[in-house]
Amino acid sequence: MDKQRLREILKELKKWKAHATILLSLYIPPGRPISDVLNLLRQELSVADNIKLKKTRNAVERALSVAIERVSKIPKVPDKGLVLFTGENPDTGESITVMLIPPEDVPVFFYRTDKVFHTEFLEDMVSESNMVGLLIVERDAATIGLLKGNRLQVVEELEDYIPGKHQKGGQSQRRYDRIIEQMVEDFYKRVGEHVNKAFLPLLEQGKLKAILVGGPAYAKYDFMEKDYMDYRLKKIVLPEFIDVAYQGEPGLREMILKAGDALKEQEYAETLKALEEFKYHLAKDDGMIVYGDEEVRNALEMGLVETLLIGESREDVEEWLDLARKRGAKPLVLSDDIPEGEWFTKTFNGLAGILRTRITW
């Protein structure tokens, strides 16, 4: 199972909430004997008979019975382990059962019935392991961000009041300048502390691969010249510093767009650029884009789509991903969190293609 499909399943599982502890989550790591798992589930089924509330007891017993039935059909735990979720809504009678082999090894043996499904171990698997840290710094403001797959996260925004230049001249001028320099120095130290706090744990976990630094004028160079940032983080700072005019999320987006090849492997940067290209062709009305499910499918079948844009909220994301790959198109899944992602989903039903050449029908 690929990570995109797993994200879709997790999204569905998170919708389930119960008034009692009746939703069953089971994680089986590689190498765990099936007989051990079945013994545990059968013991839990016998204990469930002691639950006083009949509706809760029946729901838990049904969940355990489903789990026993599914697991008993597996002769051996797969190489990456096995995960199972099952439960029901007693009020509506609606039920759900999901059994899957995850994209990474199951790290722990875990069983629980609860008011929610425990998806935290799987969420670790879909959290990006190829993150890029982002820092915009100037003498009185800074933005710390993270680029994770097709998502941009603003981690923290910092600011301080640094006065402008003094105009009196003489010793008063020099004294005033020293005060200002110390204020800037103190702010840079503060920024460095917050950068270390945000990025060092990710670096130690092996998730943070690079840091991109930007900002207006020379502040970014002044900041990087000294050791405000931990030396381990400085080793992965990309050599090109980016000129940006804004702080906050707009500044981070501007920096990502200007970074060019430095971020060529980052999905978020790719989707931003692809969406900009789509809008460019849309404005020119030059016949180089296609939208509408039937029109996109026909263009894919003809091998004319170079890039396929898919909104992540569509229920058939996996189907379009498969079709794009079979027809030689590059699929990009657009998060609603991406700038104009919601506009794309609402206006074009979350599906469009950028073409290799104009279509002549």
Side-chain angles (χ1 to χ4, degrees):
M1 172 176 293
D2 64 28
K3 292 189 177 183
Q4 178 57 39
R5 178 58 180 153
L6 182 54
R7 287 190 187 99
E8 295 169 15
I9 292 173
L10 291 177
K11 189 175 181 180
E12 181 63 29
L13 289 170
K14 288 178 183 178
K15 295 178 183 177
W16 283 77
K17 302 286 189 297
H19 298 300
T21 57
I22 59 175
L23 301 179
L24 185 151
S25 305
L26 175 65
Y27 290 79
I28 310 172
R32 190 84 178 196
I34 287 292
S35 57
D36 288 358
V37 181
L38 288 172
N39 286 338
L40 169 70
L41 294 174
R42 287 169 180 146
Q43 289 172 12
E44 291 294 324
L45 183 59
S46 64
V47 172
D49 193 49
N50 296 323
I51 299 174
K52 293 182 179 180
L53 191 62
K54 182 179 180 181
K55 185 184 287 189
T56 301
R57 180 174 67 249
N58 290 343
V60 171
E61 288 176 343
R62 281 192 289 270
L64 283 163
S65 297
V66 169
I68 291 169
E69 179 191 3
R70 293 296 184 95
V71 173
S72 64
K73 293 179 180 179
I74 305 297
K76 180 184 176 183
V77 176
D79 291 342
K80 291 185 177 180
L82 197 67
V83 182
L84 185 144
F85 302 98
T86 187
E88 65 179 39
N89 183 332
D91 298 326
T92 65
E94 185 181 6
S95 64
I96 184 173
T97 298
V98 174
M99 188 164 70
L100 59 89
I101 301 172
E104 299 176 10
D105 289 355
V106 175
V108 64
F109 182 65
F110 178 91
Y111 160 79
R112 187 168 300 173
T113 54
D114 210 335
K115 295 180 180 180
V116 295
F117 288 121
H118 283 267
T119 60
E120 55 266 31
F121 303 111
L122 291 179
E123 288 182 37
D124 287 343
M125 296 181 189
V126 297
S127 65
E128 296 299 325
S129 58
N130 190 28
M131 299 182 188
V132 174
L134 306 170
L135 173 63
I136 300 173
V137 61
E138 52 188 304
R139 66 202 298 271
D140 58 357
T143 301
I144 302 169
L146 274 173
L147 194 53
K148 302 186 289 186
N150 66 354
R151 285 174 169 77
L152 172 65
Q153 176 188 354
V154 178
V155 176
E156 191 170 11
E157 295 182 63
L158 305 168
E159 62 179 359
D160 204 345
Y161 171 70
I162 309 293
K165 289 186 177 181
H166 191 56
Q167 301 297 325
K168 289 185 178 180
Q171 288 190 344
S172 177
Q173 171 73 55
R174 290 191 292 273
R175 185 168 56 251
Y176 193 80
D177 287 345
R178 285 196 297 270
I179 293 172
I180 292 176
E181 287 173 8
Q182 185 59 52
M183 293 176 72
V184 173
E185 172 90 4
D186 291 343
F187 180 68
Y188 285 167
K189 287 179 180 177
R190 180 179 161 216
V191 171
E193 290 169 358
H194 286 258
V195 168
N196 294 340
K197 181 180 178 181
F199 292 163
L200 271 178
L202 298 174
L203 181 69
E204 291 167 352
Q205 294 166 25
K207 294 182 177 181
L208 190 71
K209 303 304 181 185
I211 298 173
L212 183 64
V213 176
Y218 294 100
K220 52 187 175 291
Y221 300 102
D222 295 338
F223 178 81
M224 291 306 302
E225 278 181 0
K226 296 186 179 179
D227 296 328
Y228 301 114
M229 188 186 297
D230 188 281
Y231 73 96
R232 290 166 291 178
L233 296 176
K234 291 186 76 171
K235 287 181 179 179
I236 61 169
V237 172
L238 296 171
E240 181 183 357
F241 297 167
I242 310 298
D243 290 327
V244 293
Y246 304 101
Q247 289 285 344
E249 187 173 341
L252 295 178
R253 293 202 304 266
E254 180 187 1
M255 185 163 66
I256 291 166
L257 283 170
K258 287 183 174 181
D261 289 343
L263 296 179
K264 62 184 178 182
E265 295 182 358
Q266 289 297 315
E267 188 179 352
Y268 184 90
E270 280 191 295
T271 53
L272 268 186
K273 291 176 182 177
L275 191 53
E276 288 298 315
E277 184 180 354
F278 174 78
K279 288 160 54 184
Y280 170 79
H281 292 304
L282 180 66
K284 287 189 68 177
D285 193 21
D286 56 8
M288 290 297 293
I289 58 172
V290 62
Y291 46 87
D293 285 28
E294 184 177 350
E295 291 82 356
V296 171
R297 187 179 296 276
N298 289 338
L300 280 168
E301 295 290 353
M302 295 167 66
L304 296 176
V305 177
E306 182 172 7
T307 304
L308 182 68
L309 304 176
I310 316 163
E312 70 171 0
S313 57
R314 285 186 66 108
E315 295 182 356
D316 55 357
V317 171
E318 195 65 30
E319 175 189 342
W320 288 104
L321 288 172
D322 288 342
L323 183 57
R325 292 171 184 137
K326 288 176 183 176
R327 298 301 176 182
K330 181 176 181 61
L332 292 174
V333 179
L334 272 66
S335 165
D336 285 345
D337 297 334
I338 204 169
E340 298 177 313
E342 187 175 352
W343 163 81
F344 176 79
T345 297
K346 289 182 177 178
T347 308
F348 302 99
N349 195 27
L351 187 69
I354 300 172
L355 303 176
R356 294 187 173 93
T357 183
R358 292 178 180 83
I359 296 179
T360 304
W361 299 107

